[in-house]
């Protein structure tokens, strides 16, 4: 969000460093742990965020990136014949600079298509021509730069029948083989996948996918792998996950966990976070146990960039890092499943974080707040410290005693709010003055 004179600025959240008991990422990055097991470890990304802590973690921890939205049809060709490759190009360039693979996502889908494509009627020949041209254009643009494509996304209903879509209704099930064939012609070296959700365990939907892949293989259609999205609910990892991965591998195709997240009811507590860690461990271990399970990609690594809260009201906290880019127990669950050392969250304030927010701003002043939250730990007292980088001055505070010396600010709890229980939070606020700019500082919680 961008501030302006007289405008309200919502939730500019600072990354937090904890001075005591910080939960650091494992010494060995996930990408290196994965490489030792022969697995690519990836994350979906938003191109505009690939700077600062978000960019640093993406580049350090992961060996592959998937554009969350930037390569979907509605993003790259919003108007017929008018292309926008800006974000997709940015993500590819970032990956190249950080020696990462790119997973292209997605070429053929029923959702996030431009209105010019979905409106009106076309003959099968016209529809087929549009689809082939789209695949030729996009795959051709990134030829040699994309390791794998999710060519066809979500073709099945839950009962294993084909989903009614623009493509199936207009072209029949043959659109899948055609799309794979055209993608292979545009880039013969890219691995080609069919990707779907709720196909992680053995069920009607995954069996339909299995039968389709077997049939395509028998026909000589270029199909290299299946993507199991793995948008899971806490405590509901299918018991047949490894068995299902193995049966696809036995068809002679690779398997990828393409969109892994594990959502829970909010607010998250320590028991939920522990269960989430166990669930991530189970999923990654199932992949690690099958040679042809080649990729594990989380659908965004931080809760601040997750699609879950906007899609499943009341649910969230679905990724391995919290909103302040601190690794959660889930991160360590992934690391352990890949052969890293088991990590026990440290005592003290290790499960407590602080988020600095500018809630309103005007010509010469602003109102801010800091929220201190604990999960898996508690506090009996607290102190929040930060340094302003643009000459801001605090003029008034409430629910805390704040002092400022030069750029350095220190705020301690009031007599009535020093205790922060596991699963609880406290908030204090302040008014301040600014001139020129009002960047959000990093907070240290003591």
């Amino acid at each position: 969000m961008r501030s302006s004179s007289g405008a309200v600025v919502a939730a500019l959240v600072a990354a937090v460093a904890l001075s005591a008991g910080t939960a650091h990422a494992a010494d060995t990055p996930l990408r290196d742990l994965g490489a030792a097991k022969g697995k690519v470890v990836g994350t979906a990304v938003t191109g505009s965020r690939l700077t600062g802590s978000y960019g640093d973690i993406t580049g350090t921890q992961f060996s592959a990136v998937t554009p969350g939205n930037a390569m979907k049809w509605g993003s790259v060709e919003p108007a017929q014949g008018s292309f926008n490759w800006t974000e997709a190009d940015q993500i590819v360039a970032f990956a190249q600079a950080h020696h990462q693979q790119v997973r292209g996502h997605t070429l053929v889908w029923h959702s996030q298509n431009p209105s010019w494509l979905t409106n009106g009627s076309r003959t099968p020949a016209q529809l087929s021509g549009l689809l082939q041209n789209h695949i030729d254009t996009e795959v051709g643009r990134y030829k040699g730069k994309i390791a794998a494509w999710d060519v066809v996304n979500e073709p099945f209903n839950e009962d294993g029948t084909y989903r009614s879509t623009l493509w199936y209704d207009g072209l029949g099930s043959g659109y899948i083989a055609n799309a794979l064939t055209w993608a292979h012609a545009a880039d013969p070296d890219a691995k080609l996948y069919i990707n779907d959700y709720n196909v992680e365990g053995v069920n009607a939907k995954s069996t339909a996918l299995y039968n389709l892949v077997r049939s395509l293989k028998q026909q000589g259609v270029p199909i290299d792998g299946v993507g199991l999205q793995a948008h899971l609910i806490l405590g509901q990892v299918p018991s047949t996950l490894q068995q299902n991965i193995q049966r696809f591998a036995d068809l002679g195709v690779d398997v990828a966990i393409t969109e892994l997240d594990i959502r829970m009811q909010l607010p998250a507590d320590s028991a939920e976070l522990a269960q989430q860690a166990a669930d991530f461990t189970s999923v990654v271990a199932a992949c690690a146990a099958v040679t042809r399970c080649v990729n594990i990609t989380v659908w965004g690594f931080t809760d601040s960039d997750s699609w879950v809260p906007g899609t499943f009201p009341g649910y969230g906290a679905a990724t391995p890092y919290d909103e302040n880019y601190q690794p959660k127990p889930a991160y360590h669950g992934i690391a352990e499943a890949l052969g890293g050392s088991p990590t026990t969250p440290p005592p003290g304030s290790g499960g407590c974080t602080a988020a600095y927010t500018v809630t309103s701003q005007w010509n010469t002043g602003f109102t801010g707040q800091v929220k201190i939250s604990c999960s898996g730990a508690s506090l009996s007292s607290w102190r929040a410290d930060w340094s302003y980088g643009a000459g801001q001055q605090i003029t008034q505070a409430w629910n805390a005693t704040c002092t400022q010396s030069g750029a350095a600010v220190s705020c301690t709890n009031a007599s009535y709010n020093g205790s922060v229980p596991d699963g609880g939070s406290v908030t204090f606020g302040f008014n301040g003055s600014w001139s020129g700019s009002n960047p959000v500082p990093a907070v240290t919680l003591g």
Side-chain angles (χ1 to χ4, degrees):
M1 298 182 182
R2 185 172 297 169
S3 61
S4 60
S5 177
V8 174
V9 182
L12 296 174
V13 180
V16 178
L18 303 181
S19 62
T22 304
H24 291 291
D27 291 339
T28 305
L30 296 180
R31 63 185 293 168
D32 294 339
L33 293 173
K37 294 281 189 180
K39 313 300 178 186
V40 173
V41 182
T43 181
V45 294
T46 301
S48 61
R49 300 189 65 181
L50 286 170
T51 60
S53 297
Y54 184 98
D56 290 343
I57 294 171
T58 300
T60 301
Q61 289 292 332
F62 301 99
S63 49
V65 292
T66 301
N69 290 298
M71 289 186 178
K72 292 171 181 174
W73 200 325
S75 297
V76 300
E77 194 180 3
Q80 188 168 8
S82 178
F83 296 92
N84 180 2
W85 304 105
T86 302
E87 186 185 359
D89 286 352
Q90 178 186 17
I91 292 170
V92 170
F94 180 94
Q96 291 176 331
H98 292 83
H99 308 290
Q100 295 168 312
Q101 293 183 6
V102 179
R103 185 176 192 88
H105 180 83
T106 176
L107 296 172
V108 190
W109 192 25
H110 65 271
S111 186
Q112 290 184 244
N113 289 315
S115 59
W116 67 262
L117 178 64
T118 56
N119 293 341
S121 61
R122 296 179 175 88
T123 67
Q126 290 170 329
L127 190 59
S128 182
L130 287 171
L131 182 57
Q132 183 174 6
N133 181 69
H134 171 69
I135 293 172
D136 288 347
T137 301
E138 184 158 11
V139 178
R141 179 179 181 83
Y142 296 109
K143 181 179 181 180
K145 299 178 180 179
I146 304 291
W149 280 100
D150 292 327
V151 178
V152 176
N153 199 42
E154 301 173 1
F156 290 108
N157 295 314
E158 296 304 301
D159 63 0
T161 58
Y162 282 103
R163 183 192 293 268
S164 175
T165 69
L166 173 69
W167 311 114
Y168 180 77
D169 296 345
L171 301 173
S173 62
Y175 82 90
I176 297 173
N178 287 339
L180 291 161
T181 300
W182 294 330
H184 179 70
D187 186 353
D189 293 328
K191 299 291 186 181
L192 307 180
Y193 280 69
I194 300 173
N195 190 52
D196 216 327
Y197 65 93
N198 288 352
V199 292
E200 295 76 32
V202 176
N203 56 36
K205 193 175 188 180
S206 65
T207 298
L209 178 59
Y210 176 89
N211 290 335
L212 171 62
V213 172
R214 181 174 58 184
S215 174
L216 292 170
K217 291 281 288 183
Q218 290 170 348
Q219 297 171 54
V221 175
I223 172 72
D224 298 296
V226 295
L228 315 181
Q229 291 185 13
H231 293 298
L232 302 175
I233 300 172
L234 189 72
Q236 297 185 25
V237 177
S239 60
T240 53
L241 174 59
Q242 184 176 328
Q243 174 190 345
N244 193 41
I245 294 172
Q246 186 65 59
R247 71 166 174 164
F248 279 107
D250 291 343
L251 285 178
V253 296
D254 292 336
V255 179
I257 306 295
T258 54
E259 305 180 24
L260 174 61
D261 53 28
I262 301 174
R263 61 187 181 270
M264 64 184 71
Q265 285 190 304
L266 298 175
D269 60 30
S270 56
E272 288 178 314
L273 293 172
Q275 179 63 56
Q276 185 185 52
D279 289 349
F280 269 97
T281 299
S282 295
V283 173
V284 176
C287 179
V290 180
T291 301
R292 293 204 70 153
C293 187
V294 296
N295 182 305
I296 304 152
T297 290
V298 293
W299 202 245
F301 67 85
T302 168
D303 291 343
S304 68
D305 194 37
S306 173
W307 72 301
V308 168
T311 306
F312 301 98
Y315 284 79
T319 77
Y321 283 74
D322 68 19
E323 293 183 349
N324 295 314
Y325 304 127
Q326 296 298 300
K328 292 155 58 178
Y331 171 92
H332 300 291
I334 296 171
E336 184 175 350
L338 292 173
S341 300
T343 301
T344 302
S349 63
C352 300
T353 59
Y356 181 112
T357 306
V358 176
T359 57
S360 64
Q361 185 167 290
W362 55 96
N363 286 349
T364 59
F366 68 96
T367 298
Q369 70 175 29
V370 171
K371 181 178 181 180
I372 298 171
S373 306
C374 290
S375 181
S378 61
L379 296 171
S380 57
S381 63
W382 48 262
R383 187 187 76 251
D385 301 315
W386 66 87
S387 293
Y388 281 125
Q392 302 101 313
Q393 291 286 324
I394 287 183
T395 58
Q396 179 188 18
W398 51 92
N399 295 333
T401 300
C402 294
T403 59
Q404 183 168 354
S405 176
V409 178
S410 182
C411 297
T412 57
N413 60 272
S415 60
Y416 52 83
N417 66 355
S419 176
V420 185
D422 183 7
S425 64
V426 299
T427 300
F428 66 90
F430 44 88
N431 290 327
S433 62
W434 70 287
S435 177
S437 64
N438 189 19
V440 173
V443 179
T444 301
L445 182 63

